[in-house]
């Protein structure tokens, strides 16, 4: 991931920053401070994975495949056990 200071769109980003700063100056001080602190907090958090990335992360785990295997074999085994028990009782 390219940083902002190395970006080709650095001038556009600076223009957005200037526009944001001019709009914040028209706001109440407490509200502007709260907004800035919230945005800084969001910058400190790691970026969230996309839905596809998190799905890939789940699919490539061993536990997922164990759950798939158990889910696929449980129904036939249960059916077989019920038929076996019915034949045994009869």
């Amino acid at each position: 991931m390219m940083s902002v200071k190395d970006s080709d769109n650095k001038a556009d980003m600076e223009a957005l920053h200037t526009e944001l700063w001019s709009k914040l100056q028209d706001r109440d001080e407490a509200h502007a401070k709260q907004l800035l602190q919230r945005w800084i907090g969001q910058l400190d958090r790691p970026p969230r994975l996309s839905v596809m990335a998190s799905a890939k992360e789940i699919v490539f785990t061993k536990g997922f495949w164990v759950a798939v295997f158990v889910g696929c074999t449980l129904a036939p085994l249960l059916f077989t056990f019920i038929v076996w028990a019915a034949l045994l009782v009869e």
Side-chain angles (χ1 to χ4, degrees):
M1 185 184 324
M2 184 185 301
S3 67
V4 174
K5 60 184 168 187
D6 299 331
S7 174
D8 296 336
N9 299 324
K10 184 177 179 181
D12 295 337
M13 301 282 281
E14 287 176 351
L16 286 172
H17 177 266
T18 305
E19 181 183 351
L20 175 65
W21 182 247
S22 66
K23 287 185 178 188
L24 276 177
Q25 288 178 350
D26 296 335
R27 299 282 181 158
D28 178 46
E29 179 184 354
H31 180 65
K33 185 177 181 180
Q34 180 185 17
L35 279 174
L36 289 171
Q37 287 175 339
R38 185 172 26 167
W39 292 332
I40 288 173
Q42 288 176 353
L43 287 174
D44 291 340
R45 283 188 244 137
R48 295 177 58 191
L49 293 175
S50 68
V51 174
M52 283 301 292
S54 54
K56 282 182 184 178
E57 189 175 297
I58 290 172
V59 167
F60 290 120
T61 60
K62 191 184 294 185
F64 173 79
W65 291 109
V66 168
V68 168
F69 177 75
V70 168
C72 288
T73 58
L74 190 61
L77 285 175
L78 186 62
F79 176 76
T80 305
F81 176 73
I82 291 172
V83 169
W84 176 77
L87 288 174
L88 189 64
V89 169
E90 186 182 280

